[in-house]
Amino acid sequence: MSYKPPKPPLRIDSVPRYAQVYWCDFSISNVLPEFDDVHPVIVIRSGQKLANPHIVVPMTTVDHTGDHYAYALPVNPNPKRHETTSWVLCNHIYTVASERLFPLRDRFDNRIYPKVGDEDMHQVGRLVRLALRRIIEASLPRPPDDD
């Protein structure tokens, strides 16, 4: 018999949309070395319903200079951290339940749902594709040598 922890409460009222930024609680039932703690994420594919999972990439303020799969956003979408560079980790692709997500807050503590711009999403998408291609190609058997 395996233990299944109770589902956390839903903290959002509407379906997350492409390019929106949310907080994501990765620490709910995770197992290290999986991503841990609460981090902002960008939705790269909406589940279209709150009951469906969403595909996200996490963000961090830890410097990732030199990481080929990290993208430094020109503007941090977190209004409480505008002065800090936010890096999108495009090779950390997660499928998450709506219950892991909750909105950012502005300086007046109002819920906000910032959206990353089209050009930035283009760069994020490009790096996600590169990361996925590397993962898939590394998993495929090598073709036979031509004799």
Side-chain angles (χ1 to χ4, degrees):
M1 187 167 145
S2 65
Y3 170 74
K4 190 172 183 179
K7 202 172 194 181
L10 187 62
R11 297 181 277 180
I12 55 177
D13 301 326
S14 61
V15 177
R17 299 290 179 212
Y18 173 78
Q20 282 184 324
V21 178
Y22 287 83
W23 286 110
C24 183
D25 190 349
F26 288 103
S27 62
I28 301 169
S29 301
N30 75 320
V31 177
L32 294 175
E34 295 171 352
F35 219 73
D36 194 23
D37 212 357
V38 176
H39 286 269
V41 295
I42 300 173
V43 177
I44 61 171
R45 185 166 194 306
S46 170
Q48 304 297 320
K49 295 180 182 178
L50 287 173
N52 294 342
H54 315 285
I55 301 175
V56 301
V57 286
M59 300 177 347
T60 182
T61 55
V62 173
D63 190 329
H64 276 262
T65 301
D67 181 340
H68 299 295
Y69 303 106
Y71 176 67
L73 289 170
V75 176
N76 188 332
N78 183 348
K80 295 182 179 179
R81 304 284 308 263
H82 273 308
E83 72 290 345
T84 309
T85 301
S86 187
W87 293 83
V88 184
L89 304 180
C90 300
N91 60 340
H92 290 261
I93 303 159
Y94 289 90
T95 302
V96 300
S98 295
E99 286 79 6
R100 287 192 184 272
L101 304 175
F102 57 100
L104 277 68
R105 300 230 176 226
D106 66 14
R107 62 188 184 122
F108 304 108
D109 207 34
N110 298 310
R111 291 174 162 217
I112 60 166
Y113 303 90
K115 196 169 180 184
V116 174
D118 290 344
E119 181 55 35
D120 293 322
M121 287 306 294
H122 176 74
Q123 293 302 322
V124 167
R126 182 181 66 80
L127 292 174
V128 166
R129 286 189 301 277
L130 281 174
L132 285 172
R133 182 170 50 192
R134 180 175 175 245
I135 291 165
I136 291 167
E137 287 176 358
S139 302
L140 294 174
R142 296 178 137 247
D145 292 333
D146 291 333
D147 292 333

